[in-house]
Coordinates of all heavy atoms in Angstrom, one line a residue:
M1 N 5.7 5.4 12.6 CA 5.7 4.0 12.9 C 5.6 3.6 14.3 O 5.4 2.5 14.7 CB 6.9 3.3 12.2 CG 6.8 3.3 10.7 SD 8.1 2.4 9.9 CE 9.5 3.5 10.2
M2 N 5.6 4.6 15.1 CA 5.4 4.5 16.6 C 6.2 3.4 17.3 O 5.8 2.8 18.3 CB 3.9 4.2 16.8 CG 3.0 5.2 16.2 SD 1.3 4.7 16.0 CE 0.7 4.8 17.7
G3 N 7.4 3.1 16.7 CA 8.3 2.2 17.3 C 7.8 0.7 17.3 O 8.3 -0.1 17.9
K4 N 6.8 0.5 16.4 CA 6.2 -0.9 16.4 C 7.0 -1.8 15.5 O 6.9 -3.0 15.6 CB 4.8 -0.8 15.9 CG 3.8 -0.3 17.0 CD 2.4 -0.3 16.5 CE 1.5 0.4 17.6 NZ 0.2 0.7 17.1
F5 N 7.7 -1.3 14.5 CA 8.4 -2.1 13.6 C 9.9 -2.2 13.8 O 10.6 -1.2 13.9 CB 8.2 -1.6 12.2 CG 6.9 -2.1 11.5 CD1 5.8 -1.4 11.7 CD2 6.9 -3.2 10.8 CE1 4.6 -1.8 11.2 CE2 5.8 -3.7 10.2 CZ 4.6 -3.0 10.4
P6 N 10.5 -3.4 14.0 CA 11.9 -3.5 14.1 C 12.6 -3.2 12.8 O 11.9 -3.2 11.7 CB 12.1 -5.0 14.4 CG 10.9 -5.7 13.9 CD 9.8 -4.7 13.9
R7 N 13.8 -2.9 12.8 CA 14.5 -2.5 11.6 C 14.4 -3.5 10.4 O 14.2 -3.1 9.3 CB 16.0 -2.3 11.9 CG 16.5 -0.9 11.7 CD 17.9 -0.8 12.1 NE 18.0 0.6 12.5 CZ 19.1 1.3 12.4 NH1 20.2 0.8 12.0 NH2 19.1 2.5 12.8
S8 N 14.4 -4.8 10.8 CA 14.3 -5.8 9.8 C 13.0 -5.8 9.0 O 12.9 -6.3 7.9 CB 14.5 -7.2 10.5 OG 13.4 -7.4 11.4
K9 N 12.0 -5.1 9.6 CA 10.7 -5.0 8.9 C 10.5 -3.7 8.2 O 9.4 -3.5 7.6 CB 9.6 -5.3 9.9 CG 9.6 -6.7 10.4 CD 8.3 -7.4 10.3 CE 8.5 -8.9 10.6 NZ 7.3 -9.6 10.9
Q10 N 11.4 -2.8 8.5 CA 11.2 -1.4 7.9 C 11.6 -1.4 6.4 O 12.5 -2.1 6.0 CB 12.0 -0.4 8.6 CG 11.5 0.0 10.0 CD 12.3 1.0 10.7 OE1 13.1 1.8 10.0 NE2 12.2 1.1 12.0
I11 N 10.9 -0.6 5.7 CA 11.3 -0.3 4.3 C 11.8 1.1 4.3 O 11.1 2.0 4.7 CB 10.1 -0.5 3.4 CG1 9.7 -2.0 3.4 CG2 10.4 0.0 2.0 CD1 8.5 -2.3 2.6
G12 N 13.0 1.3 3.8 CA 13.6 2.6 3.7 C 15.0 2.7 4.1 O 15.7 1.7 4.1
A13 N 15.4 3.9 4.4 CA 16.8 4.2 4.6 C 17.4 3.3 5.7 O 18.6 2.9 5.5 CB 16.9 5.7 5.1
S14 N 16.7 3.0 6.7 CA 17.3 2.2 7.8 C 16.8 0.7 7.7 O 17.1 -0.1 8.6 CB 17.1 2.8 9.1 OG 15.8 3.2 9.3
G15 N 16.1 0.4 6.7 CA 15.5 -1.0 6.5 C 15.9 -1.5 5.2 O 17.0 -1.4 4.7
K16 N 14.9 -2.2 4.6 CA 15.1 -2.8 3.3 C 14.7 -1.9 2.1 O 13.8 -1.1 2.3 CB 14.2 -4.1 3.2 CG 14.6 -5.2 4.1 CD 13.6 -6.3 3.9 CE 14.0 -7.4 4.9 NZ 13.0 -8.3 5.3
S17 N 15.3 -2.2 0.9 CA 14.8 -1.7 -0.3 C 14.0 -2.7 -1.0 O 14.4 -3.9 -1.0 CB 15.9 -1.2 -1.2 OG 16.5 -0.1 -0.6
V18 N 12.9 -2.4 -1.6 CA 12.0 -3.3 -2.3 C 11.9 -3.0 -3.8 O 12.0 -1.8 -4.1 CB 10.6 -3.5 -1.6 CG1 10.7 -4.2 -0.3 CG2 9.9 -2.2 -1.5
S19 N 11.7 -4.0 -4.6 CA 11.6 -3.7 -6.0 C 10.3 -4.3 -6.6 O 10.4 -4.9 -7.7 CB 12.8 -4.2 -6.8 OG 13.0 -5.6 -6.5
A20 N 9.2 -4.1 -5.9 CA 8.0 -4.7 -6.4 C 7.5 -4.1 -7.7 O 7.8 -2.9 -7.9 CB 6.9 -4.6 -5.3
T21 N 6.8 -4.8 -8.5 CA 6.1 -4.2 -9.7 C 5.1 -3.2 -9.2 O 5.0 -2.1 -9.7 CB 5.4 -5.3 -10.5 OG1 6.4 -6.3 -10.9 CG2 4.9 -4.7 -11.8
T22 N 4.3 -3.6 -8.2 CA 3.3 -2.7 -7.6 C 3.4 -2.7 -6.1 O 3.3 -3.8 -5.5 CB 1.9 -3.1 -8.1 OG1 1.8 -3.2 -9.5 CG2 0.8 -2.1 -7.5
Y23 N 3.6 -1.6 -5.6 CA 3.8 -1.4 -4.1 C 2.5 -0.7 -3.6 O 2.2 0.4 -4.1 CB 5.0 -0.6 -3.8 CG 5.3 -0.3 -2.4 CD1 5.8 -1.3 -1.5 CD2 5.1 0.9 -1.8 CE1 6.0 -1.1 -0.2 CE2 5.3 1.2 -0.5 CZ 5.8 0.2 0.3 OH 6.0 0.4 1.7
I24 N 1.8 -1.3 -2.6 CA 0.6 -0.6 -2.1 C 1.0 0.0 -0.7 O 1.3 -0.8 0.2 CB -0.6 -1.6 -2.0 CG1 -0.8 -2.3 -3.4 CG2 -1.8 -0.9 -1.5 CD1 -1.9 -3.3 -3.4
A25 N 1.0 1.3 -0.7 CA 1.3 2.0 0.6 C 0.1 2.3 1.3 O -0.7 3.3 1.0 CB 2.1 3.3 0.2
V26 N -0.2 1.5 2.3 CA -1.5 1.7 3.1 C -1.2 2.5 4.4 O -0.5 2.0 5.2 CB -2.1 0.3 3.5 CG1 -3.4 0.5 4.2 CG2 -2.3 -0.5 2.2
G27 N -1.7 3.7 4.4 CA -1.5 4.6 5.6 C 0.0 4.9 5.8 O 0.5 4.9 6.9
I28 N 0.7 5.2 4.7 CA 2.1 5.5 4.8 C 2.2 7.0 4.3 O 1.8 7.3 3.2 CB 2.9 4.6 3.8 CG1 2.8 3.1 4.2 CG2 4.4 5.1 3.7 CD1 3.6 2.7 5.3
S29 N 2.9 7.8 5.1 CA 2.9 9.2 4.8 C 3.8 9.5 3.6 O 3.5 10.5 2.9 CB 3.4 10.0 6.1 OG 4.7 9.6 6.4
G30 N 4.9 8.7 3.5 CA 5.8 9.0 2.4 C 6.9 9.9 2.8 O 7.4 10.7 2.0
A31 N 7.4 9.6 4.0 CA 8.6 10.3 4.5 C 9.8 10.0 3.6 O 9.9 8.9 3.0 CB 9.0 9.9 5.9
V32 N 10.7 10.9 3.4 CA 11.9 10.8 2.5 C 12.6 9.5 2.8 O 13.1 8.8 1.9 CB 12.8 12.0 2.5 CG1 13.4 12.2 3.9 CG2 13.8 12.0 1.4
Q33 N 12.7 9.1 4.1 CA 13.5 7.9 4.5 C 12.7 6.7 3.9 O 13.4 5.7 3.6 CB 13.6 7.8 6.0 CG 14.5 8.8 6.6 CD 13.8 10.1 7.0 OE1 12.6 10.2 6.8 NE2 14.5 11.0 7.6
H34 N 11.4 6.7 3.9 CA 10.6 5.6 3.4 C 10.7 5.5 1.8 O 10.9 4.4 1.3 CB 9.2 5.7 3.8 CG 8.4 4.5 3.5 ND1 8.3 3.4 4.4 CD2 7.6 4.1 2.4 CE1 7.6 2.4 3.8 NE2 7.1 2.8 2.6
L35 N 10.6 6.7 1.2 CA 10.7 6.7 -0.2 C 12.0 6.2 -0.8 O 12.0 5.6 -1.9 CB 10.5 8.2 -0.7 CG 9.1 8.8 -0.4 CD1 9.0 10.2 -1.0 CD2 8.0 8.0 -1.0
Q36 N 13.1 6.3 0.0 CA 14.3 5.7 -0.5 C 14.3 4.2 -0.7 O 14.9 3.7 -1.6 CB 15.4 6.0 0.6 CG 16.0 7.3 0.5 CD 17.1 7.5 1.6 OE1 17.9 6.6 1.8 NE2 17.2 8.7 2.1
G37 N 13.4 3.6 0.1 CA 13.3 2.1 0.0 C 12.4 1.6 -1.1 O 12.3 0.4 -1.3
I38 N 11.6 2.5 -1.7 CA 10.7 2.1 -2.8 C 11.1 2.7 -4.1 O 10.2 2.6 -5.0 CB 9.2 2.3 -2.4 CG1 8.9 3.8 -2.2 CG2 8.9 1.6 -1.1 CD1 7.4 4.2 -2.1
K39 N 12.3 3.2 -4.2 CA 12.7 3.8 -5.5 C 12.6 2.9 -6.7 O 12.2 3.3 -7.8 CB 14.2 4.2 -5.4 CG 14.4 5.6 -4.9 CD 15.9 5.9 -5.0 CE 16.3 7.1 -4.2 NZ 17.7 7.1 -3.8
A40 N 12.8 1.6 -6.5 CA 12.9 0.7 -7.6 C 11.5 0.1 -7.9 O 11.3 -0.7 -8.9 CB 13.8 -0.5 -7.3
C41 N 10.5 0.5 -7.2 CA 9.1 -0.1 -7.4 C 8.5 0.6 -8.7 O 8.6 1.8 -8.8 CB 8.2 0.2 -6.3 SG 8.7 -0.8 -4.8
R42 N 8.0 -0.2 -9.6 CA 7.5 0.4 -10.8 C 6.2 1.2 -10.6 O 6.1 2.3 -11.1 CB 7.2 -0.7 -11.9 CG 7.0 -0.1 -13.2 CD 7.2 -0.8 -14.4 NE 7.5 -2.2 -14.4 CZ 6.9 -3.1 -15.3 NH1 6.0 -2.7 -16.1 NH2 7.2 -4.4 -15.2
H43 N 5.3 0.6 -9.9 CA 4.0 1.4 -9.7 C 3.8 1.5 -8.2 O 4.0 0.5 -7.4 CB 2.8 0.6 -10.3 CG 3.0 0.3 -11.7 ND1 3.0 1.3 -12.7 CD2 3.1 -0.9 -12.4 CE1 3.1 0.7 -13.9 NE2 3.3 -0.6 -13.7
V44 N 3.3 2.6 -7.7 CA 2.9 2.8 -6.3 C 1.4 3.2 -6.3 O 1.0 4.1 -7.0 CB 3.8 3.9 -5.7 CG1 3.3 4.2 -4.2 CG2 5.3 3.4 -5.6
I45 N 0.7 2.5 -5.4 CA -0.7 2.8 -5.1 C -0.7 3.3 -3.7 O -0.3 2.5 -2.8 CB -1.6 1.6 -5.3 CG1 -1.5 1.1 -6.8 CG2 -3.1 2.0 -5.0 CD1 -2.3 -0.2 -7.1
A46 N -1.2 4.5 -3.5 CA -1.3 5.0 -2.1 C -2.8 5.0 -1.6 O -3.7 5.4 -2.3 CB -0.8 6.4 -2.0
I47 N -2.9 4.5 -0.4 CA -4.2 4.6 0.3 C -4.0 5.4 1.5 O -3.3 5.0 2.4 CB -4.8 3.2 0.7 CG1 -4.9 2.3 -0.6 CG2 -6.1 3.3 1.4 CD1 -5.3 0.8 -0.3
N48 N -4.6 6.6 1.5 CA -4.3 7.5 2.6 C -5.5 8.5 2.8 O -6.1 8.9 1.8 CB -3.1 8.4 2.3 CG -2.4 8.9 3.5 OD1 -3.0 9.7 4.3 ND2 -1.2 8.6 3.8
C49 N -5.8 8.8 4.1 CA -7.0 9.7 4.3 C -6.6 11.2 4.1 O -7.4 12.0 4.1 CB -7.5 9.4 5.7 SG -6.4 9.6 7.0
D50 N -5.3 11.4 4.0 CA -4.8 12.8 3.8 C -4.4 13.1 2.4 O -3.4 12.6 1.9 CB -3.6 13.1 4.8 CG -3.0 14.4 4.6 OD1 -3.6 15.3 3.9 OD2 -1.9 14.7 5.2
P51 N -5.2 13.9 1.7 CA -4.9 14.2 0.3 C -3.6 14.9 0.1 O -3.1 15.1 -1.0 CB -6.1 14.9 -0.2 CG -6.8 15.5 1.0 CD -6.5 14.6 2.1
G52 N -3.1 15.4 1.2 CA -1.8 16.2 1.1 C -0.6 15.4 1.5 O 0.5 15.9 1.6
A53 N -0.8 14.1 1.7 CA 0.4 13.3 2.2 C 1.4 13.2 1.1 O 1.1 13.0 -0.1 CB -0.1 11.9 2.5
P54 N 2.7 13.3 1.5 CA 3.8 13.3 0.4 C 3.8 12.0 -0.4 O 4.2 12.1 -1.6 CB 5.1 13.4 1.3 CG 4.6 13.9 2.6 CD 3.2 13.5 2.8
I55 N 3.3 10.9 0.0 CA 3.3 9.7 -0.8 C 2.5 9.9 -2.1 O 2.8 9.3 -3.1 CB 2.7 8.5 0.0 CG1 2.9 7.1 -0.7 CG2 1.3 8.7 0.4 CD1 4.3 6.6 -0.7
I56 N 1.6 10.8 -2.0 CA 0.7 11.0 -3.2 C 1.5 11.5 -4.4 O 1.2 11.2 -5.6 CB -0.5 11.9 -2.8 CG1 -1.4 11.0 -1.9 CG2 -1.3 12.4 -4.0 CD1 -2.5 11.7 -1.2
K57 N 2.6 12.3 -4.1 CA 3.4 12.8 -5.3 C 4.1 11.6 -5.9 O 4.4 11.6 -7.1 CB 4.4 13.8 -4.7 CG 3.8 15.1 -4.4 CD 4.8 16.2 -4.3 CE 4.2 17.5 -4.0 NZ 4.9 18.2 -3.0
R58 N 4.4 10.6 -5.1 CA 5.2 9.4 -5.7 C 4.2 8.4 -6.3 O 4.7 7.6 -7.1 CB 6.0 8.8 -4.5 CG 6.7 7.4 -4.8 CD 7.7 7.5 -5.9 NE 8.4 6.3 -6.1 CZ 7.9 5.3 -7.0 NH1 6.8 5.5 -7.6 NH2 8.6 4.2 -7.1
A59 N 3.0 8.5 -5.9 CA 2.0 7.4 -6.3 C 1.5 7.6 -7.7 O 1.3 8.7 -8.2 CB 0.8 7.4 -5.3
D60 N 1.3 6.5 -8.4 CA 0.7 6.5 -9.7 C -0.8 6.5 -9.6 O -1.5 7.0 -10.5 CB 1.1 5.2 -10.5 CG 2.6 5.1 -10.6 OD1 3.2 5.8 -11.4 OD2 3.2 4.4 -9.8
L61 N -1.3 6.0 -8.5 CA -2.8 5.9 -8.2 C -3.0 6.1 -6.7 O -2.3 5.5 -5.9 CB -3.3 4.5 -8.6 CG -4.8 4.3 -8.3 CD1 -5.7 5.1 -9.2 CD2 -5.1 2.8 -8.5
T62 N -3.9 7.0 -6.4 CA -4.2 7.3 -5.0 C -5.6 7.1 -4.7 O -6.5 7.5 -5.4 CB -3.8 8.7 -4.6 OG1 -2.4 9.0 -4.9 CG2 -4.1 9.1 -3.2
V63 N -5.9 6.4 -3.6 CA -7.3 6.3 -3.1 C -7.3 7.1 -1.8 O -6.6 6.8 -0.8 CB -7.7 4.8 -2.8 CG1 -9.1 4.8 -2.3 CG2 -7.5 4.0 -4.0
V64 N -8.1 8.2 -1.7 CA -8.2 9.0 -0.5 C -9.3 8.5 0.3 O -10.5 8.5 -0.2 CB -8.4 10.5 -0.9 CG1 -8.5 11.3 0.4 CG2 -7.2 11.0 -1.6
G65 N -9.0 7.9 1.5 CA -10.0 7.3 2.3 C -9.4 6.6 3.5 O -8.2 6.5 3.6
D66 N -10.3 6.1 4.3 CA -9.9 5.4 5.5 C -9.3 4.0 5.1 O -10.0 3.3 4.3 CB -11.0 5.2 6.5 CG -10.6 4.4 7.7 OD1 -9.8 4.9 8.5 OD2 -11.1 3.2 7.8
A67 N -8.1 3.7 5.5 CA -7.4 2.5 5.0 C -8.2 1.2 5.3 O -8.3 0.3 4.5 CB -6.0 2.4 5.7
E68 N -8.8 1.2 6.5 CA -9.5 0.0 6.9 C -10.8 -0.2 6.0 O -11.0 -1.3 5.5 CB -10.0 0.0 8.3 CG -10.3 -1.3 8.9 CD -10.5 -1.3 10.4 OE1 -9.8 -0.6 11.1 OE2 -11.3 -2.1 10.8
E69 N -11.5 0.8 5.7 CA -12.6 0.7 4.8 C -12.2 0.4 3.4 O -12.9 -0.5 2.8 CB -13.4 2.1 4.8 CG -14.2 2.3 6.0 CD -14.8 3.7 6.0 OE1 -15.0 4.3 4.9 OE2 -15.2 4.2 7.1
V70 N -11.2 1.0 2.9 CA -10.7 0.7 1.5 C -10.3 -0.7 1.4 O -10.6 -1.4 0.5 CB -9.6 1.7 1.1 CG1 -9.1 1.4 -0.3 CG2 -10.1 3.2 1.1
M71 N -9.5 -1.2 2.4 CA -9.0 -2.5 2.3 C -10.1 -3.6 2.4 O -10.1 -4.6 1.7 CB -7.9 -2.8 3.4 CG -6.6 -2.1 3.2 SD -5.9 -2.3 1.6 CE -5.5 -4.1 1.7
Q72 N -11.1 -3.3 3.3 CA -12.2 -4.2 3.4 C -13.0 -4.3 2.0 O -13.4 -5.4 1.6 CB -13.2 -3.8 4.5 CG -12.7 -4.3 5.8 CD -13.5 -3.9 7.0 OE1 -14.6 -3.3 6.9 NE2 -13.0 -4.2 8.2
A73 N -13.2 -3.1 1.4 CA -13.9 -3.1 0.1 C -13.1 -3.8 -0.9 O -13.6 -4.6 -1.7 CB -14.1 -1.6 -0.3
L74 N -11.8 -3.7 -0.9 CA -10.9 -4.3 -1.9 C -10.9 -5.8 -1.7 O -11.0 -6.6 -2.7 CB -9.5 -3.8 -1.7 CG -8.4 -4.2 -2.7 CD1 -8.8 -3.7 -4.1 CD2 -7.1 -3.5 -2.4
I75 N -10.8 -6.3 -0.5 CA -10.9 -7.7 -0.2 C -12.2 -8.3 -0.6 O -12.3 -9.4 -1.2 CB -10.6 -8.0 1.3 CG1 -9.2 -7.6 1.7 CG2 -10.9 -9.4 1.7 CD1 -8.8 -7.5 3.1
A76 N -13.3 -7.6 -0.4 CA -14.6 -8.1 -0.8 C -14.7 -8.2 -2.3 O -15.2 -9.2 -2.9 CB -15.7 -7.1 -0.3
R77 N -14.1 -7.2 -3.1 CA -14.1 -7.3 -4.5 C -13.3 -8.4 -5.1 O -13.6 -9.1 -6.0 CB -13.6 -5.9 -5.1 CG -14.6 -4.8 -5.0 CD -15.9 -5.0 -5.8 NE -15.7 -4.9 -7.2 CZ -15.9 -3.8 -7.9 NH1 -16.3 -2.7 -7.2 NH2 -15.7 -3.7 -9.2
V78 N -12.1 -8.6 -4.4 CA -11.3 -9.7 -4.8 C -12.0 -11.1 -4.6 O -12.0 -12.0 -5.4 CB -9.9 -9.7 -4.1 CG1 -9.1 -11.0 -4.3 CG2 -9.1 -8.5 -4.6
G79 N -12.7 -11.2 -3.5 CA -13.4 -12.4 -3.2 C -14.5 -12.6 -4.2 O -14.7 -13.8 -4.7
Q80 N -15.2 -11.6 -4.6 CA -16.3 -11.7 -5.6 C -15.7 -12.1 -7.0 O -16.2 -13.0 -7.6 CB -16.9 -10.3 -5.9 CG -18.0 -10.0 -4.8 CD -18.4 -8.5 -5.0 OE1 -18.0 -7.8 -6.0 NE2 -19.3 -8.0 -4.1
A81 N -14.6 -11.5 -7.3 CA -13.9 -11.9 -8.6 C -13.5 -13.3 -8.6 O -13.6 -14.0 -9.6 CB -12.7 -10.9 -8.9
R82 N -12.9 -13.8 -7.5 CA -12.5 -15.2 -7.4 C -13.6 -16.1 -7.5 O -13.6 -17.1 -8.2 CB -11.8 -15.4 -6.0 CG -10.4 -15.0 -6.0 CD -9.6 -15.6 -4.9 NE -8.2 -15.2 -4.9 CZ -7.5 -14.9 -3.9 NH1 -8.1 -15.0 -2.7 NH2 -6.3 -14.5 -4.0
A83 N -14.7 -15.8 -6.7 CA -15.9 -16.6 -6.8 C -16.5 -16.7 -8.2 O -16.9 -17.8 -8.6 CB -17.0 -16.1 -5.8
Q84 N -16.5 -15.6 -8.9 CA -17.0 -15.6 -10.3 C -16.1 -16.5 -11.2 O -16.6 -17.3 -12.0 CB -17.0 -14.2 -10.8 CG -18.3 -13.5 -10.4 CD -18.3 -12.0 -10.8 OE1 -17.4 -11.6 -11.4 NE2 -19.4 -11.3 -10.4
S85 N -14.8 -16.4 -11.0 CA -13.9 -17.2 -11.9 C -14.0 -18.7 -11.6 O -13.6 -19.5 -12.4 CB -12.5 -16.6 -11.8 OG -11.9 -17.0 -10.6
E86 N -14.4 -19.0 -10.3 CA -14.5 -20.4 -10.0 C -15.8 -21.0 -10.3 O -16.0 -22.2 -10.2 CB -14.2 -20.6 -8.5 CG -12.8 -20.4 -8.1 CD -12.5 -20.2 -6.6 OE1 -13.4 -20.4 -5.8 OE2 -11.4 -19.9 -6.3
T87 N -16.8 -20.2 -10.6 CA -18.2 -20.7 -11.0 C -18.2 -21.3 -12.3 O -17.8 -20.7 -13.3 CB -19.2 -19.5 -11.0 OG1 -19.1 -18.9 -9.7 CG2 -20.6 -20.1 -11.2
P88 N -18.5 -22.6 -12.4 CA -18.5 -23.3 -13.8 C -19.5 -22.6 -14.7 O -20.5 -22.0 -14.3 CB -19.0 -24.7 -13.5 CG -18.9 -24.9 -12.0 CD -18.9 -23.5 -11.4
E89 N -19.1 -22.5 -16.0 CA -19.9 -21.8 -17.0 C -21.4 -22.3 -17.0 O -21.6 -23.5 -16.8 CB -19.3 -22.0 -18.4 CG -19.0 -20.7 -19.0 CD -18.3 -20.9 -20.4 OE1 -19.0 -21.1 -21.3 OE2 -17.1 -20.9 -20.3
G90 N -22.3 -21.4 -17.1 CA -23.7 -21.8 -17.1 C -24.4 -21.9 -15.7 O -25.6 -21.8 -15.6
Q91 N -23.5 -21.9 -14.7 CA -24.1 -21.9 -13.3 C -24.0 -20.4 -12.8 O -23.1 -19.7 -13.1 CB -23.3 -22.8 -12.4 CG -23.6 -24.3 -12.7 CD -22.9 -25.1 -11.7 OE1 -22.6 -24.7 -10.6 NE2 -22.7 -26.4 -12.1
V92 N -24.9 -20.1 -11.9 CA -24.9 -18.8 -11.3 C -24.6 -18.9 -9.8 O -25.0 -19.8 -9.1 CB -26.3 -18.1 -11.5 CG1 -26.2 -16.6 -10.9 CG2 -26.6 -18.0 -12.9
Ligands
LIG101 C1 17.6 8.3 10.5 C2 16.2 8.0 10.2 C3 15.9 6.8 9.5 C4 14.6 6.4 9.2 N1 14.4 5.3 8.5 C5 13.2 4.9 8.1 C6 13.0 3.8 7.3 O1 13.8 3.1 6.9 N2 11.7 3.5 6.9 C7 10.6 4.3 7.3 O2 9.5 4.0 6.9 N3 10.8 5.4 8.1 C8 12.1 5.7 8.5 N4 12.2 6.8 9.3 C9 11.1 7.5 9.9 C10 10.4 8.5 8.9 O3 11.1 9.7 9.0 C11 8.9 8.6 9.2 O4 8.8 9.0 10.6 C12 8.1 7.4 9.0 O5 8.4 6.8 7.7 C13 6.6 7.6 9.2 O6 6.0 6.4 9.1 P1 4.5 6.3 8.6 O7 4.3 7.0 7.3 O8 4.1 4.9 8.7 O9 3.7 7.1 9.8 P2 3.1 8.5 10.0 O10 4.1 9.6 9.7 O11 2.5 8.5 11.3 O12 2.0 8.6 8.8 C14 0.8 7.9 8.9 C15 0.1 8.2 7.5 O13 -1.0 7.4 7.5 C16 -2.2 8.2 7.2 N5 -3.3 7.6 7.9 C17 -3.5 7.6 9.3 N6 -4.6 6.9 9.6 C18 -5.1 6.5 8.4 C19 -6.3 5.7 8.1 N7 -7.1 5.3 9.0 N8 -6.6 5.5 6.8 C20 -5.7 6.0 5.8 N9 -4.6 6.7 6.1 C21 -4.3 6.9 7.4 C22 -1.8 9.6 7.6 O14 -2.6 10.5 6.9 C23 -0.3 9.6 7.3 O15 -0.1 10.0 6.0 C24 13.5 7.2 9.6 C25 13.8 8.4 10.3 C26 15.1 8.8 10.6 C27 15.3 10.0 11.4

């Protein structure tokens, strides 16, 4: 974490525990201290460029790739899906 996150923003042994239905770990290695904070999460999706990262053992779904590229693609797909759902029937 390179000292960028204060304790109040950390998830894990020295930060908060979260209980999300789906937790998306973007560029998170999956250190034991971090895993402690996501024990209660039902589903974990990992986005990581290292197929050997420990988070992958905890994840239900893993996308191996560059986080920025994957997130941009995901945001674009969500935008498309939203635009389609907002288009009135019969219009393109
Ligand atoms: C007493 C103690 C308490 C601690 N408490 C906590 C705590 O509460 N919470 C916590 O999180 N940590 C805690 N830590 C630190 C912990 O041991 C790890 O050092 C820390 O979790 C690593 O953070 P990270 O996974 O974000 O970073 P890194 O270990 O640097 O891992 C980065 C990950 O991102 C991947 N990655 C890098 N670039 C990209 C990219 N472009 N696209 C996709 N993937 C990429 C890498 O493959 C790697 O898996 C504690 C440590 C100690 C000693």
Side-chain angles (χ1 to χ4, degrees):
M1 289 186 288
M2 301 161 80
K4 287 183 183 165
F5 275 88
R7 246 177 206 207
S8 60
K9 298 231 167 164
Q10 282 181 23
I11 293 175
S14 44
K16 290 178 183 156
S17 288
V18 290
S19 57
T21 305
T22 304
Y23 178 77
I24 306 179
V26 182
I28 300 282
S29 61
V32 66
Q33 293 89 357
H34 189 86
L35 295 180
Q36 278 183 38
I38 62 168
K39 267 187 196 158
C41 294
R42 188 154 14 132
H43 305 292
V44 173
I45 299 174
I47 301 171
N48 202 300
C49 56
D50 176 7
I55 189 76
I56 290 170
K57 285 196 181 137
R58 170 64 177 86
D60 302 283
L61 175 71
T62 300
V63 181
V64 177
D66 178 69
E68 200 169 325
E69 286 174 18
V70 173
M71 289 309 293
Q72 277 177 7
L74 189 60
I75 290 165
R77 287 297 286 269
V78 170
Q80 281 171 4
R82 278 201 181 139
Q84 277 172 2
S85 70
E86 285 166 10
T87 305
E89 237 174 86
Q91 287 184 22
V92 184

